[in-house]
Amino acid sequence: EPEVTQTPSHQVTQMGQEVILRCVPISNHLYFYWYRQILGQKVEFLVSFYNNEISEKSEIFDDQFSVERPDGSNFTLKIRSTKLEDSAMYFCASSVLANEQYFGPGTRLTVT
Amino acid sequence: AQSVTQPDIHITVSEGASLELRCNYSYGATPYLFWYVQSPGQGLQLLLKYFSGDTLVQGIKGFEAEFKRSQSSFNLRKPSVHWSDAAEYFCAVGAENTDKLIFGTGTRLQVFP
């Protein structure tokens, strides 16, 4: 069964550093998403991406964040200058139709 | 504002017992409703979904959920729980006019042998 994959599974970085989280969505999916889950809190929507552009973003997704689909298979989330409060589990998701989203295993980001 | 409430933070059941996990939503438009399960160290797996039609929906692993518009609820049920069902369960709501899913805080299910 096809699935969403994410790398790395755990990333440790120092405050102020740039990080790139990578995702390979399911191959025939057209919509791509990033969510995050701060430890002990809800899963929160960050951004959705369709047809090579952002279709929706949350208030969390400020200028420090960017997304890119650099080739036909990868979907990346970049955080330009990480803060302590960016420490969270980041989930990538993809869907054929909007809303029926399939999630990857997540990348745990730890900012020290 | 859109919201999802899962009133039970933690539920403990014996293996073989029936299970019901509660979910209430607040959404102005016609909702799309989902249940996801997260095992330790794993991602979110889609258990089942409701978009329209029959209000009782069947999912994977023997789970079902019933949409009750009058109660704004979408409770998850399973007639007989297995030890492998121990996990965290998330209810989520989406809609036609938005890409995002709004998640509840989750219910942690513990199963005793």
Side-chain angles (χ1 to χ4, degrees):
Chain A
E1 185 179 321
E3 56 186 24
V4 177
T5 59
Q6 291 185 241
T7 53
S9 56
H10 191 190
Q11 173 93 45
V12 181
T13 190
Q14 289 191 322
M15 198 166 49
Q17 295 297 303
E18 175 183 285
V19 293
I20 297 175
L21 309 183
R22 292 184 166 78
C23 168
V24 179
I26 295 172
S27 62
N28 63 331
H29 285 191
L30 303 175
Y31 296 81
F32 314 109
Y33 314 83
W34 284 100
Y35 289 78
R36 78 172 185 191
Q37 184 182 29
I38 294 171
L39 189 63
Q41 298 187 23
K42 291 185 185 187
V43 176
E44 302 172 288
F45 170 80
L46 292 178
V47 65
S48 59
F49 191 86
Y50 171 71
N51 202 23
N52 282 319
E53 59 183 28
I54 290 174
S55 50
E56 190 172 347
K57 61 182 181 179
S58 73
E59 291 173 356
I60 303 167
F61 194 87
D62 61 20
D63 292 343
Q64 291 290 94
F65 292 89
S66 62
V67 289
E68 195 177 32
R69 189 154 161 82
D71 52 43
S73 59
N74 291 283
F75 180 52
T76 61
L77 173 70
K78 183 194 289 186
I79 309 175
R80 262 180 270 283
S81 178
T82 49
K83 305 191 262 289
L84 293 176
E85 53 265 37
D86 293 327
S87 294
M89 182 74 90
Y90 287 81
F91 292 106
C92 174
S94 68
S95 63
V96 174
L97 303 171
N99 279 301
E100 189 173 339
Q101 298 170 25
Y102 292 85
F103 284 75
T107 293
R108 180 166 297 284
L109 177 65
T110 302
V111 182
T112 61
Chain B
Q2 309 140 9
S3 67
V4 177
T5 302
Q6 292 180 250
D8 305 304
I9 296 171
H10 187 196
I11 283 183
T12 302
V13 299
S14 298
E15 192 170 18
S18 64
L19 173 70
E20 182 167 23
L21 302 182
R22 296 183 290 165
C23 173
N24 293 96
Y25 68 90
S26 171
Y27 206 83
T30 302
Y32 300 152
L33 295 159
F34 306 84
W35 276 98
Y36 286 85
V37 60
Q38 185 180 30
S39 298
Q42 304 296 311
L44 298 161
Q45 184 181 21
L46 180 63
L47 280 177
L48 47 76
K49 60 187 182 287
Y50 171 79
F51 288 170
S52 64
D54 193 346
T55 55
L56 184 64
V57 293
Q58 303 297 320
I60 61 171
K61 305 185 181 190
F63 285 92
E64 66 178 27
E66 186 170 11
F67 171 57
K68 293 185 178 180
R69 185 185 297 275
S70 61
Q71 298 177 19
S72 297
S73 69
F74 188 57
N75 294 348
L76 182 72
R77 300 194 293 248
K78 186 168 185 178
S80 177
V81 169
H82 188 262
W83 64 266
S84 61
D85 293 324
E88 186 125 23
Y89 291 80
F90 292 93
C91 181
V93 63
E96 205 168 61
N97 60 350
T98 178
D99 295 341
K100 67 183 175 188
L101 297 182
I102 305 290
F103 282 82
T105 49
T107 297
R108 181 167 298 280
L109 174 66
Q110 195 169 7
V111 181
F112 280 115

